Amino acid sequence: MLKNYQEEAILKLTNFCNDLDKKNINKRFKDITNSQYLEIENFSNPYVCIRIPTGGGKTLVATKSIRVMTHDYLNKDYSLVFWLAPSDKIVSQTLEALKNRQHYYRQILDKEFDNIEVLSIQEAFRKSFNPNESLVIIVGTIQSFRTTNKDGRKFFDENSTYYEMLKSFDMTPTLENMMRHFKPIVILDEAHKSSTSLSLKSLLDIEPSFILELTATPITKTQTAKEIYASNILYSVNATKLKKENMIKLPIMLKTIDDTAKILQEAIEKRDYLEKLCLLEEMKTGKYIRPINLIRADENRGEKSLTYDKIKSILVEDFKIDENQIAVQTGDKKELDGVDLFSRDCPIRYIITVDALKEGWDCSFAYVLSVVSNMQSATAIEQLIGRVLRMPYIEAKDKKELERSYVYVASSSFEDVAQNIGKTLINSGFEEMEAKI
């Protein structure tokens, strides 16, 4: 079931697409948004943005938007959709969801299209497709266009897979020409991370029929010389609405202590306390929650570095944490792979990481973030803060302390840390006033 703001986003897109043609894009956009539509040089099809903060369900909105763009704008039964995500991790998650007939996203599509084919870029190189006969969704990253890597070159290379489809159109059989021939709908997930000159030029070269951005932080300034264009924001939602719809855990309860051991101790005590509340919550609601404490370790840069193995030893030896409750997820140690953190049988309550839990890692059971050092830059916070914001089961809690996030940082300056977190929230799509609150 869609949240109110998600329904509003789809309604705005529907109103925009109804009876739309190239001649009235500017007027339709202005009628809906009261803003001027910013055209892109040498591109006359729609290029609009839906702005949703981190944790707001952009993938769900993107999934629902496919029917609108296909039926209401293109007036077709099927279309080719080129879905671009910012990382391989998110590509994998998107493919898994869209291919799984038991997943909510796929069930949405199955209700709206009677024939669907979902392919990775690699699968599309090996298998021909026909958007005249089915909805075809190809999911990849913006690196699909980069000739500096193998898959990027294959996108432009001749491929006999497409020979039969393109031979009567006098087009070289390449995936690029398949795209150009069928003029895909392009969905840009977190588009601000993709809008470099190279990627935008390559994107326009495949002659998309419609480009839809979904991002927390749209581009606000056009730089024509760099071929970077400000986003045409068709609909925007703020974090206050996400909180009201129980999508995210707010406020963030921040505590700074200039003592590593004390940081770990207080975070452990908070996690234990929250687990007791979760047991009471489950008695009333029947919903299982096992609060997880994310702990950010140092990179190994010398004897004084508080690395993941040192933190694990402290947890086990000093705080008597059962080793089965601890998982390490770093670049070279991936103990979360294949683990279902939502399962009642999963014992994990502590996850130690350095920077492996970036975008695309989602576990709404993560309630507590402990940062033991090296938090002078906003970047380190930005990699992790969003991981504790998502609300379990997307519903209000009987115990209100389960509607908050908890962050413990080893620092002598609360103000500096708070300011960095505020900047991070703004980068995640919060309004400046919301971030301050």
Side-chain angles (χ1 to χ4, degrees):
M1 183 176 179
L2 294 182
K3 297 296 184 180
N4 289 332
Y5 68 86
Q6 293 169 334
E7 290 182 346
E8 290 171 6
I10 296 301
L11 181 60
K12 280 285 181 74
L13 183 63
T14 302
N15 291 339
F16 178 71
C17 287
N18 276 334
D19 299 320
L20 185 69
D21 60 43
K22 295 181 181 181
K23 295 179 181 178
N24 68 348
I25 292 175
N26 295 31
K27 184 178 185 304
R28 180 67 57 80
F29 184 83
K30 192 165 187 177
D31 288 344
I32 292 174
T33 66
N34 292 320
S35 298
Q36 183 65 41
Y37 182 82
L38 303 173
E39 296 183 356
I40 294 178
E41 188 176 355
N42 299 322
F43 184 69
S44 57
N45 290 329
Y47 191 166
V48 296
C49 171
I50 294 177
R51 174 188 174 272
I52 301 178
T54 298
K58 290 187 291 293
T59 306
L60 175 56
V61 173
T63 304
K64 287 289 292 184
S65 73
I66 293 174
R67 178 199 60 79
V68 176
M69 293 181 288
T70 301
H71 295 169
D72 296 358
Y73 173 63
L74 295 178
N75 295 313
K76 293 182 176 180
D77 293 329
Y78 310 113
S79 64
L80 171 61
V81 177
F82 194 20
W83 187 315
L84 294 171
S87 69
D88 290 336
K89 177 70 172 177
I90 297 179
V91 166
S92 297
Q93 290 180 345
T94 303
L95 282 167
E96 183 179 353
L98 296 179
K99 287 186 174 188
N100 180 7
R101 291 183 177 276
Q102 305 305 314
H103 196 284
Y104 182 53
Y105 299 159
R106 178 55 185 261
Q107 290 174 350
I108 288 173
L109 292 174
D110 282 336
K111 287 180 181 179
E112 296 168 341
F113 297 92
D114 58 13
N115 200 11
I116 300 169
E117 190 167 14
V118 180
L119 303 169
S120 67
I121 285 281
Q122 291 72 25
E123 289 170 330
F125 289 142
R126 302 189 299 269
K127 182 179 181 181
S128 188
F129 50 87
N130 187 351
N132 293 324
E133 298 177 353
S134 64
L135 172 69
V136 179
I137 303 174
I138 298 176
V139 186
T141 67
I142 204 66
Q143 278 67 40
S144 306
F145 299 125
R146 300 202 190 287
T147 54
T148 52
N149 65 63
K150 184 178 179 181
D151 280 348
R153 291 191 295 273
K154 287 174 70 175
F155 189 86
F156 304 98
D157 286 348
E158 188 168 340
N159 187 329
S160 60
T161 302
Y162 319 118
Y163 175 75
E164 287 298 322
M165 180 62 70
L166 297 179
K167 66 179 182 180
S168 60
F169 301 100
D170 194 28
M171 300 177 78
T172 303
T174 67
L175 182 53
E176 179 195 24
N177 279 337
M178 283 286 282
M179 292 280 181
R180 185 179 289 120
H181 175 65
F182 286 107
K183 303 190 184 313
I185 291 169
V186 171
I187 292 176
L188 287 176
D189 183 7
E190 292 296 350
H192 65 288
K193 298 177 182 177
S194 304
S195 296
T196 63
S197 173
L198 173 62
S199 61
L200 182 59
K201 182 180 184 303
S202 300
L203 194 60
L204 298 183
D205 282 347
I206 63 174
E207 301 179 14
S209 59
F210 198 115
I211 301 176
L212 176 66
E213 300 177 306
L214 293 110
T215 182
T217 51
I219 296 170
T220 57
K221 185 178 180 180
T222 293
Q223 301 177 60
T224 307
K226 295 182 179 180
E227 295 186 37
I228 296 175
Y229 295 88
S231 300
N232 289 305
I233 302 174
L234 185 67
Y235 179 80
S236 179
V237 63
N238 58 34
T240 301
K241 285 189 178 181
L242 267 61
K243 170 64 176 175
K244 186 177 180 180
E245 298 269 17
N246 301 306
M247 294 291 289
I248 53 179
K249 301 192 289 272
L250 287 178
I252 296 169
M253 312 304 293
L254 171 66
K255 188 166 187 177
T256 57
I257 308 172
D258 195 12
D259 184 323
T260 297
K262 189 69 172 173
I263 284 290
L264 291 174
Q265 178 186 336
E266 294 213 11
I268 290 169
E269 290 173 352
K270 176 60 70 175
R271 199 219 65 82
D272 289 344
Y273 172 68
L274 292 174
E275 182 155 4
K276 293 174 183 176
L277 291 185
C278 287
L279 293 174
L280 296 174
E281 185 82 13
E282 185 180 4
M283 291 173 62
K284 184 160 187 174
T285 66
K287 301 289 180 67
Y288 171 73
I289 302 173
R290 175 181 14 88
I292 291 174
N293 179 4
L294 304 183
I295 304 173
R296 183 187 185 273
D298 286 337
E299 296 177 6
N300 192 355
R301 293 178 174 172
E303 290 185 8
K304 293 185 178 180
S305 297
L306 205 56
T307 55
Y308 67 78
D309 51 341
K310 290 180 182 178
I311 291 177
K312 184 174 182 178
S313 294
I314 292 171
L315 294 180
V316 173
E317 296 172 11
D318 296 353
F319 294 103
K320 310 305 178 186
I321 303 296
D322 189 327
E323 194 167 348
N324 289 333
Q325 296 184 5
I326 305 169
V328 176
Q329 187 77 4
T330 67
D332 60 353
K333 199 173 182 69
K334 301 184 183 298
E335 296 179 351
L336 291 181
D337 288 2
V339 175
D340 180 6
L341 290 171
F342 297 104
S343 170
R344 287 179 180 273
D345 297 328
C346 179
I348 294 172
R349 287 161 170 80
Y350 299 88
I351 297 173
I352 307 172
T353 186
V354 178
D355 61 2
L357 301 180
K358 296 182 180 180
E359 63 207 358
W361 186 89
D362 292 315
C363 179
S364 56
F365 285 3
Y367 266 86
V368 182
L369 172 61
S370 308
V371 184
V372 294
S373 61
N374 284 356
M375 287 300 285
Q376 298 304 312
S377 72
T379 304
I381 302 175
E382 187 170 352
Q383 291 173 351
L384 291 170
I385 197 74
R387 310 285 74 84
V388 296
L389 286 181
R390 296 178 188 270
M391 179 78 82
Y393 305 108
I394 314 178
E395 60 188 22
K397 303 292 179 277
D398 183 61
K399 305 297 181 184
K400 296 306 174 186
E401 285 164 290
L402 297 178
E403 295 183 349
R404 301 170 182 170
S405 306
Y406 301 86
V407 179
Y408 295 83
V409 180
S411 174
S412 58
S413 175
F414 177 91
E415 290 76 14
D416 289 348
V417 175
Q419 186 177 36
N420 281 342
I421 289 179
K423 290 177 182 177
T424 294
L425 292 175
I426 292 170
N427 289 339
S428 298
F430 284 53
E431 303 290 350
E432 186 171 352
M433 184 55 67
E434 291 176 323
K436 287 181 179 178
I437 293 172

